[in-house]
Amino acid sequence: MNLTLILGLFDQFFSPYFLGVPLLAIAIAAPWVLFPKPSNRVIHGRSLTAQNSFILNFTKQILLPLNVGAHKWALLLTVLMINLITLNLLGLLPYTFTPTTQLPLNMGFAIPLWLATVVIGLRNQPTIALGHLLPEGTPAPLIPVLIIIETISLFVRPFALGVRLTANLAAGHLLIQLLSSATLFLIDQMWPVAILTGLVMALLTLLELAVAAIQAYVFVLLLSLYLQENT
C-alpha cells in the first residue's frame, strides 16, 4: 500500500502518453498558442499591450548589468524566460503536466546555454576566463587545490541550474497533492480539520504561483550572470 501511495504521488511527474506516443513535445509547444499574436494596428489590445510591457521591462532588467557585447542574448533570454514561466504556471492547472519538473528537460536547457557562455569567454577573453579559476594573491601551496575546487564549481553550475528548478517545482507540487489528498480524506471524518487543511492548500497554491515565476526568473538571472563573467 505504501508503494502504491508513493507511486500515486509521483504519477503527476510522468510524461503523458497518447496511443503509446509521449506528449512531452506538445506540452512544451502548446502554451505558445495562448500568447496574443503581434498586430500591425496602431492601438493594440490590452493583452498584447500587457505582453509587450512585460517583455520590455524584463529585457531591461536582465540586460542592465550586462555590457553591450552581451546584448545579443536579449532575444534568447527573453524567450527562455517566457517559456519557463508559462510552463511553470500552466502546470498548476488541474489535469495538466509540468514539463519543467523533468530533470532531463531542465538540464537540456541548462547545459547548452552554460556551455555557450564558457565558450564565448574562452574565445573572446581566454586570459580572464581562465583567471577565474585562480583568485589573485593566492598562496603558492594552495594554487593546485583552488584550481581543482574552482574547476569543479564551474562544472557544477549547469547541474545547479537544472536541479534547483526541478526540485523547487516538484516539492511544491507534492505538497499541494498531499494537502489535497488529506482534505478529501478528512472531509467526512473531521470537517473542521479538512477546512483548515483546504485553506492551507489554497495559501500554498498562491505561494506556488509566486515560486513558479520566481524560479523561472532565477534560472535566467543566473544564466545572465554567467554570461556577464565571460563577456
Side-chain angles (χ1 to χ4, degrees):
M1 181 178 296
N2 293 333
L3 181 59
T4 304
L5 176 61
I6 294 175
L7 291 177
L9 290 175
F10 286 89
D11 278 346
Q12 59 179 316
F13 303 121
F14 296 156
S15 175
Y17 282 78
F18 181 72
L19 299 178
V21 179
L23 303 181
L24 181 60
I26 298 178
I28 296 173
W32 290 102
V33 182
L34 303 177
F35 290 99
K37 302 298 185 293
S39 174
N40 295 326
R41 297 179 179 178
V42 178
I43 301 177
H44 302 301
R46 294 180 180 179
S47 58
L48 186 58
T49 302
Q51 175 180 293
N52 293 339
S53 177
F54 169 78
I55 293 175
L56 179 61
N57 292 328
F58 169 75
T59 305
K60 287 182 178 179
Q61 186 69 25
I62 286 295
L63 298 182
L64 189 62
L66 301 179
N67 55 31
V68 179
H71 289 184
K72 300 176 183 178
W73 285 58
L75 179 60
L76 176 61
L77 294 178
T78 303
V79 171
L80 179 62
M81 171 66 180
I82 295 175
N83 189 23
L84 290 178
I85 195 173
T86 304
L87 294 176
N88 294 348
L89 292 175
L90 289 180
L92 294 173
L93 297 176
Y95 304 105
T96 56
F97 170 68
T98 311
T100 44
T101 57
Q102 305 294 308
L103 183 59
L105 174 66
N106 296 333
M107 295 306 298
F109 284 134
I111 292 179
L113 295 174
W114 162 83
L115 186 60
T117 62
V118 175
V119 171
I120 288 175
L122 293 176
R123 185 190 64 181
N124 296 339
Q125 46 184 16
T127 304
I128 298 178
L130 294 176
H132 291 307
L133 301 179
L134 184 63
E136 186 177 357
T138 304
L142 295 178
I143 290 178
V145 178
L146 283 180
I147 291 178
I148 295 175
I149 293 175
E150 292 296 330
T151 303
I152 294 175
S153 65
L154 177 64
F155 283 95
V156 164
R157 285 181 175 182
F159 296 96
L161 282 175
V163 171
R164 178 187 290 107
L165 181 60
T166 303
N168 282 281
L169 295 178
H173 284 54
L174 284 175
L175 285 175
I176 291 176
Q177 182 164 353
L178 286 173
L179 289 174
S180 62
S181 301
T183 302
L184 292 176
F185 177 76
L186 295 172
I187 196 169
D188 292 331
Q189 301 181 9
M190 294 181 292
W191 63 266
V193 180
I195 293 176
L196 179 61
T197 307
L199 291 176
V200 174
M201 183 185 66
L203 294 176
L204 182 62
T205 303
L206 295 177
L207 178 62
E208 192 64 18
L209 290 174
V211 169
I214 291 172
Q215 288 304 316
Y217 176 74
V218 169
F219 188 96
V220 179
L221 179 62
L222 290 177
L223 187 62
S224 67
L225 294 178
Y226 300 157
L227 180 63
Q228 180 184 359
E229 291 182 359
N230 294 281
T231 53

